[in-house]
């Protein structure tokens, strides 16, 4: 029967089959990140609205249009987190992590919220896996974090991945560049789409993302920041590239790469997948050397990324097969149920995955249920106190010692 309620627009339920794919992804990620020394951190689902306004930037689409903002009963403005970096930096400062040995390497996984127009790969509640490496400007850190995401995508077997790399330079270089870009856009105002024209002074970088022909033509002759990099910024980018080459990580330099958050400086990167449609970025990130200071902390260089769990799963296009069970305990007569319950509990304590019938089925129905859940062996408790063990693959059945059933199932290895 269809319910009159549905999950809110842009949200979805994760049903057991899909949950198994997620669990595999999470296990793989945890292994890779733990081996590299990234420790998990969890921050609240909502924060003071101002944290995101200051952190992500008031001119970004995220802050201007996409935040789920509400007032609490005390009149405070709160926002469901649209991303994780600002929150992690807030926690880093709040807990004095800047006094620890640097860098501090953190990872997180959880739901994020953006009020975007839903489409395949774009949701209003989605999940990100992310890492932040805070407290170093070494190009080694850039390459370490990039390799973590590259390793994860390779280990999961995500097909058709390309890494795009760019650099925005320092905050000052970026500022000077934006002035040059604005001047270029103003000089060609008449050829731009109205959307881009209205936002020249607010967010000129977005013009690189525009689809209309007029704007695209103007952007072909636009100055790019990569070609304008100078001094330490140019050296930093060259070193990141040399380290990626040495590590054998393939990438394409994309001088028009834009990310939709204001805090980026120097290295930015994006992993795109050619199996996905319009929402082709499975993950991306970059340096944010000015963010912690912006939030009231000491000058602190940092870099990180976040990957969209749903996009990775879409790119993999797979549902993980069921894990199956080691055993099912069936009863020939209803009187044996208590014995079955106790036995299932003992088996589980012994590390064996086991189930019993909870729906009052006759023996035939129980065997069918055992088959449905992928049980490899079925223990049948008989009315006279005896027991039979059936191998579900071969169909073979033999009597077993009813006083020793747990040993029988564990192969006596306990
Ligand atoms: P972002 O590019 O906004 O970066 O998001 C990272 C990833 O989250 C995207 O590449 C995409 O896979 C996924 N994603 C974003 N929006 C949605 C959506 N509406 N539905 C489904 N998936 C989505 C950040 O959030 C930065 N905090 C990354 C970072 C960490 N930079 C430095 N450290």
């Amino acid at each position: 029967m269809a319910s009159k309620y549905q999950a809110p627009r842009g949200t979805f339920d994760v049903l057991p089959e899909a949950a198994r794919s997620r669990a595999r992804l999470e296990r793989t990620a945890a292994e890779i990140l733990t081996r590299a020394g990234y420790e998990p951190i969890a921050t609240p689902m909502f924060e003071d609205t101002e944290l995101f306004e200051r952190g992500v930037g008031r001119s970004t689409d995220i802050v201007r249009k996409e935040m789920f903002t509400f007032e609490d009963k005390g009149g405070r403005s709160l926002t469901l987190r649209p991303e994780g970096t600002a929150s992690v930096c807030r926690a880093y400062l709040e807990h004095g992590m800047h006094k620890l040995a640097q860098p501090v390497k953190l990872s997180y996984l959880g739901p994020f919220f953006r009020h975007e127009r839903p489409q395949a790969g774009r949701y209003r509640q989605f999940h990100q896996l992310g890492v932040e490496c805070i407290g170093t400007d070494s190009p080694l850190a850039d390459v370490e974090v990039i390799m973590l995401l590259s390793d994860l995508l390779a280990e999961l077997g995500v097909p058709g991945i390309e890494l795009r790399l760019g650099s925005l330079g320092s905050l000052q270089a970026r500022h000077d560049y934006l002035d040059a870009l604005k001047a270029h856009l103003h000089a060609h105002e008449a050829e731009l789409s109205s959307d881009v024209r209205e936002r020249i002074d607010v967010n000129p970088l977005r013009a690189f993302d525009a689809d209309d022909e007029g704007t695209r033509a103007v952007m072909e002759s636009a100055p790019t920041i990569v070609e304008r990099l100078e001094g330490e910024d140019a050296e930093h980018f060259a070193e990141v590239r040399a380290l990626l080459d040495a590590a054998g990580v393939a990438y394409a330099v994309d001088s028009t790469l834009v990310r939709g958050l204001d805090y980026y400086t120097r290295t930015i990167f994006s992993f795109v997948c050619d199996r996905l449609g319009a929402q082709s970025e499975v993950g991306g990130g970059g340096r944010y050397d000015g963010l912690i200071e912006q939030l009231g902390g000491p000058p602190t260089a940092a870099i990180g990324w976040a990957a969209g769990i749903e996009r990775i799963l879409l790119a993999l296009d797979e549902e993980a097969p069921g894990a199956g069970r080691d055993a099912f305990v069936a009863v020939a007569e209803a009187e044996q149920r208590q014995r079955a319950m106790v036995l299932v509990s003992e088996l589980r304590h012994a590390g064996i995955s086991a189930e019993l019938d909870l729906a009052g089925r006759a023996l035939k129905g129980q065997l069918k249920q055992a088959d449905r859940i992928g049980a490899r062996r079925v223990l049948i408790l008989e009315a006279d106190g005896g027991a039979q063990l059936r191998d579900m693959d071969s169909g073979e059945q033999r009597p077993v010692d009813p006083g020793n059933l747990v040993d029988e199932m564990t192969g006596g290895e306990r």
Side-chain angles (χ1 to χ4, degrees):
M1 197 173 56
S3 147
K4 69 176 188 174
Y5 299 110
Q6 292 180 340
R9 190 164 145 75
T11 71
F12 51 85
D13 300 307
V14 180
L15 302 181
E17 218 170 319
R20 280 196 287 272
S21 309
R22 282 171 186 258
R24 179 175 90 92
L25 193 163
E26 288 172 23
R27 271 196 309 274
T28 308
E31 274 168 28
I32 290 176
L33 300 181
T34 308
R35 278 202 299 263
Y38 285 72
E39 302 267 13
I41 182 169
T43 59
M45 300 295 157
F46 54 85
E47 299 267 1
D48 286 339
T49 301
E50 207 188 317
L51 174 71
F52 300 119
E53 289 174 346
R54 286 192 72 87
V56 175
R58 288 192 170 82
S59 69
T60 59
D61 279 353
I62 294 180
V63 170
R64 287 172 64 236
K65 303 194 248 183
E66 297 169 3
M67 297 208 299
F68 283 93
T69 297
F70 58 97
E71 220 172 72
D72 75 0
K73 289 190 165 49
R76 283 170 286 260
S77 178
L78 299 171
T79 292
L80 296 183
R81 59 183 193 182
E83 64 102 46
T85 311
S87 307
V88 169
C89 290
R90 195 258 316 128
Y92 172 90
L93 286 173
E94 185 169 337
H95 301 286
M97 288 188 239
H98 56 290
K99 296 184 201 122
L100 303 175
Q102 304 293 301
V104 174
K105 305 203 288 188
L106 301 166
S107 72
Y108 52 90
L109 183 133
F112 292 84
F113 308 85
R114 294 183 193 177
H115 199 283
E116 296 194 78
R117 203 159 44 79
Q119 63 180 82
R122 189 163 75 192
Y123 312 96
R124 291 185 174 170
Q125 176 174 339
F126 57 99
H127 296 77
Q128 278 186 352
L129 164 74
V131 306
E132 311 293 350
C133 176
I134 307 179
T136 173
D137 67 357
S138 168
L140 287 167
D142 302 45
V143 175
E144 171 164 294
V145 298
I146 290 173
M147 280 170 66
L148 289 174
L149 185 49
S150 156
D151 285 352
L152 174 64
L153 297 171
E155 177 82 29
L156 291 169
V158 183
I161 289 290
E162 186 185 284
L163 165 60
R164 297 189 183 150
L165 185 72
S167 176
L168 297 172
S170 64
L171 283 178
Q172 187 57 45
R174 183 178 165 175
H175 189 258
D176 295 344
Y177 166 69
L178 290 181
D179 282 346
L181 181 59
K182 284 178 202 168
H184 177 78
L185 293 170
H186 279 302
H188 295 87
E189 265 187 45
E191 298 143 67
L192 302 173
S193 70
S194 56
D195 194 37
V196 170
R197 195 180 321 124
E198 277 160 25
R199 291 171 58 195
I200 295 180
D201 294 308
V202 187
N203 194 353
L205 285 173
R206 277 280 147 186
F208 283 113
D209 276 351
D211 310 316
D212 72 285
E213 262 177 46
T215 307
R216 275 175 173 265
V218 173
M219 297 322 284
E220 268 173 32
S221 59
T224 68
I225 188 137
V226 170
E227 73 201 12
R228 287 171 55 106
L229 289 177
E230 287 177 351
E232 288 183 7
D233 291 339
E235 272 167 39
H236 193 276
F237 191 46
E239 212 167 321
V240 170
R241 294 182 55 179
L243 287 166
L244 284 172
D245 292 338
V249 180
Y251 61 88
V253 172
D254 180 349
S255 54
T256 65
L257 188 60
V258 173
R259 311 216 72 253
L261 302 103
D262 265 1
Y263 48 62
Y264 289 116
T265 52
R266 293 193 166 172
T267 314
I268 50 170
F269 55 92
S270 172
F271 284 84
V272 291
C273 172
D274 64 13
R275 313 293 151 100
L276 297 176
Q279 304 304 316
S280 63
E281 188 188 85
V282 290
R287 277 206 163 273
Y288 47 94
D289 294 346
L291 177 59
I292 294 203
E293 205 175 355
Q294 171 87 5
L295 298 177
T300 309
I303 183 163
W305 51 255
I309 301 290
E310 288 75 24
R311 296 207 188 152
I312 295 179
L313 293 171
L314 274 174
L316 284 170
D317 190 25
E318 70 165 45
E319 308 266 84
R325 302 288 181 281
D326 298 322
F328 189 94
V329 177
V331 294
E333 303 276 344
E335 288 72 48
Q336 306 291 320
R337 278 190 209 145
Q338 191 177 339
R339 210 176 133 209
M341 182 76 249
V342 172
L343 179 57
V344 161
S345 166
E346 285 174 4
L347 288 171
R348 290 176 184 168
H349 288 146
I352 292 183
S353 58
E355 288 197 46
L356 79 166
D357 173 53
L358 300 175
R361 293 180 177 90
L363 182 57
K364 206 169 146 201
Q366 294 174 52
L367 294 177
K368 228 186 207 168
Q369 177 64 7
D371 191 42
R372 231 179 262 134
I373 65 165
R376 281 179 279 282
R377 292 185 292 175
V378 180
L379 262 174
I380 303 164
L381 304 184
E382 294 174 313
D384 62 4
Q388 299 274 335
L389 181 61
R390 180 199 280 253
D391 183 308
M392 294 297 274
D393 286 336
S394 64
E396 265 171 44
Q397 189 167 315
R398 61 182 170 91
V400 283
D401 176 3
N404 240 338
L405 291 174
V406 176
D407 278 351
E408 186 74 49
M409 299 300 287
T410 54
E413 283 163 14
R414 283 198 307 150

